Amino acid sequence: MTSDKNFPATGPLSDPGEGSLLIRNVRPYGEGEARNVLVQDGVIASLDAAEDTSADREIDGKGRVLLPGLVDMHVHLREPGNEEAETIESGSRAAARGGFTAVFTMANNTPVTDEPTLAEAIWNKGQKVGLCDVHAVGAITRGLEGEHITEFSMMKQSDAAVRMFSDDGKCVQNAALMRRAAEYARGVDVLLAQHAQEGTLTAKSVAHEGPVASELGLEGWPRAAEESIVARDILIARDYGARIHFCHISTAGSVELLRWAKSQGIKVTAEVTPHHLLLTDERLRTYDAVNRVNPPLREQSDVDALREALLDGTIQAVATDHAPHADEFKACEFEHANPGMLGLETSLAIIADTFVKSGKADWRFVAKVMSEQPAEITQLPGHGRPIAEGEPANLTLVDEDCTWTAKAEDVESPANNLPFEGMEFHTRVAATILRGKVTFNEQ
Ligand code: DOR
Ligand code: ZN
């Protein structure tokens, strides 16, 4: 079950794309003249291959942007236990189409990922599918019940090399337990990812607490429920030295707290989802349960603060919180629907359109928040690396000049809960390469 190796330095590898791949006419990070990138046995061999180079396979890059393969540190692939919503295979296809070469799937499966063998089953299945590295996130508490801390060390040493622990979907409510988890996490050098949601303030909450929820008669989820846990865990990180990461930050107040933490040199990190960067609670007026998500869609002032925080580095990562749900759990009253949204296939388009197309940032920024920093926070080897000779060929080719409409019927997931239905985007993933193997190619 467990291996006697130490935490692997390079990460277990699925079969690298054998032979050679020539990606013609691409602009790494969207900079400079188009070049030909040659990949040999899964590694970048040259960034300036001659025109007459031949290779086993070729992709015509058409002058497009080449980024390091995207890394999503927060998805729910629902296997085992809820395969009608998603499987590791369908989720891997969605990830590859979305430009991802590595994803971290949360522990809220059935059974919960709280044992080394369960984490290994997920990792091995992902490697067998071979479209994306699917890393298992381990639960912080057994069964996500908030009572007993799991064996971080055993899961880290397993073949799954679990490096992140989270009760996501649920918050670790008990402060003393979070403190003990932080001490343990520090000792074995793993990341704790907190779903910040104070329970007594959100017992029946279904929507952001504000004027829209009042008007619609929906039970409110106050910002303070998130911010009080963020504040608490920043202090726990300060006093016990653990690496604590905050999942799906959604409020302007959380951003202020993270800024303060940074100013104090406290080791916390945070992610934001594409939906919290794009949508507000105004969407709830249709009562369509596709807009129910946890934490809820908030107000424009929060969206503005989140965008600013991602731009200035207060928030380091974009993560989708891709949360597929079968139709029966969404085609019902808003209050009874499961929270969660699909996100893997639209993430790059939303981030690129919001930040690059609008002129607020460049492609280096996208590489940073969607690849380099998620890999750094999770201490993931082989991903989020520079596009340079000798580096693993984990790459994403981006078409920055197109128009397409997001449709639930087009997604890879069996689920249909796509809140971006009917929205038009102007950027899309053209191809994805995992260690030299083409895992998605629109051509
Ligand atoms: O909206 C959400 N859905 N938020 C979470 O934290 C969990 C997720 C899920 O598992 O469906
Ligand atoms: Zn989640």
Side-chain angles (χ1 to χ4, degrees), residues 74 76 106 168-169 248 321:
H74 188 153
H76 299 265
M106 285 294 173
D168 178 67
H248 41 53
D321 195 7

mmCIF file of all heavy atoms in Angstrom, residues 74 76 106 168-169 248 321, ligand 2:
data_model
loop_
_atom_site.group_PDB
_atom_site.id
_atom_site.type_symbol
_atom_site.label_atom_id
_atom_site.label_comp_id
_atom_site.label_asym_id
_atom_site.label_seq_id
_atom_site.Cartn_x
_atom_site.Cartn_y
_atom_site.Cartn_z
ATOM 1 N N HIS A 74 -8.287 22.962 -7.241
ATOM 2 C CA HIS A 74 -9.566 22.726 -6.562
ATOM 3 C C HIS A 74 -10.649 22.280 -7.544
ATOM 4 O O HIS A 74 -11.279 23.099 -8.197
ATOM 5 C CB HIS A 74 -9.998 24.020 -5.848
ATOM 6 C CG HIS A 74 -11.191 23.861 -4.966
ATOM 7 N ND1 HIS A 74 -11.411 24.678 -3.877
ATOM 8 C CD2 HIS A 74 -12.244 23.006 -5.002
ATOM 9 C CE1 HIS A 74 -12.535 24.323 -3.296
ATOM 10 N NE2 HIS A 74 -13.061 23.315 -3.961
ATOM 11 N N HIS A 76 -13.783 18.915 -8.140
ATOM 12 C CA HIS A 76 -14.498 17.776 -7.555
ATOM 13 C C HIS A 76 -14.802 16.810 -8.690
ATOM 14 O O HIS A 76 -15.669 17.087 -9.517
ATOM 15 C CB HIS A 76 -15.809 18.233 -6.914
ATOM 16 C CG HIS A 76 -15.617 19.214 -5.788
ATOM 17 N ND1 HIS A 76 -15.562 18.829 -4.464
ATOM 18 C CD2 HIS A 76 -15.451 20.559 -5.787
ATOM 19 C CE1 HIS A 76 -15.377 19.898 -3.701
ATOM 20 N NE2 HIS A 76 -15.313 20.972 -4.480
ATOM 21 N N MET A 106 -10.956 17.186 -4.703
ATOM 22 C CA MET A 106 -11.247 17.299 -3.280
ATOM 23 C C MET A 106 -11.702 15.968 -2.683
ATOM 24 O O MET A 106 -12.100 15.042 -3.389
ATOM 25 C CB MET A 106 -12.291 18.395 -3.054
ATOM 26 C CG MET A 106 -11.695 19.786 -3.187
ATOM 27 S SD MET A 106 -10.503 20.070 -1.844
ATOM 28 C CE MET A 106 -9.822 21.667 -2.361
ATOM 29 N N ASP A 168 -12.937 20.464 2.319
ATOM 30 C CA ASP A 168 -13.736 21.325 1.436
ATOM 31 C C ASP A 168 -15.130 20.776 1.171
ATOM 32 O O ASP A 168 -15.328 19.578 0.975
ATOM 33 C CB ASP A 168 -13.027 21.543 0.100
ATOM 34 C CG ASP A 168 -13.879 22.395 -0.816
ATOM 35 O OD1 ASP A 168 -14.078 23.570 -0.497
ATOM 36 O OD2 ASP A 168 -14.380 21.870 -1.821
ATOM 37 N N GLY A 169 -16.062 21.714 1.093
ATOM 38 C CA GLY A 169 -17.485 21.370 1.105
ATOM 39 C C GLY A 169 -17.969 21.643 2.519
ATOM 40 O O GLY A 169 -19.078 22.096 2.745
ATOM 41 N N HIS A 248 -11.615 29.285 -2.515
ATOM 42 C CA HIS A 248 -12.663 30.160 -3.066
ATOM 43 C C HIS A 248 -13.020 31.381 -2.223
ATOM 44 O O HIS A 248 -14.149 31.508 -1.729
ATOM 45 C CB HIS A 248 -13.932 29.356 -3.381
ATOM 46 C CG HIS A 248 -14.317 28.306 -2.362
ATOM 47 N ND1 HIS A 248 -14.477 28.565 -1.012
ATOM 48 C CD2 HIS A 248 -14.591 26.988 -2.522
ATOM 49 C CE1 HIS A 248 -14.815 27.455 -0.393
ATOM 50 N NE2 HIS A 248 -14.893 26.486 -1.286
ATOM 51 N N ASP A 321 -13.024 25.263 -8.548
ATOM 52 C CA ASP A 321 -14.048 24.625 -7.705
ATOM 53 C C ASP A 321 -15.093 23.942 -8.595
ATOM 54 O O ASP A 321 -16.292 23.952 -8.285
ATOM 55 C CB ASP A 321 -14.707 25.634 -6.751
ATOM 56 C CG ASP A 321 -15.496 24.936 -5.644
ATOM 57 O OD1 ASP A 321 -15.414 23.697 -5.539
ATOM 58 O OD2 ASP A 321 -16.205 25.635 -4.897
HETATM 59 ZN ZN ZN B 2 -14.936 22.813 -3.546
#
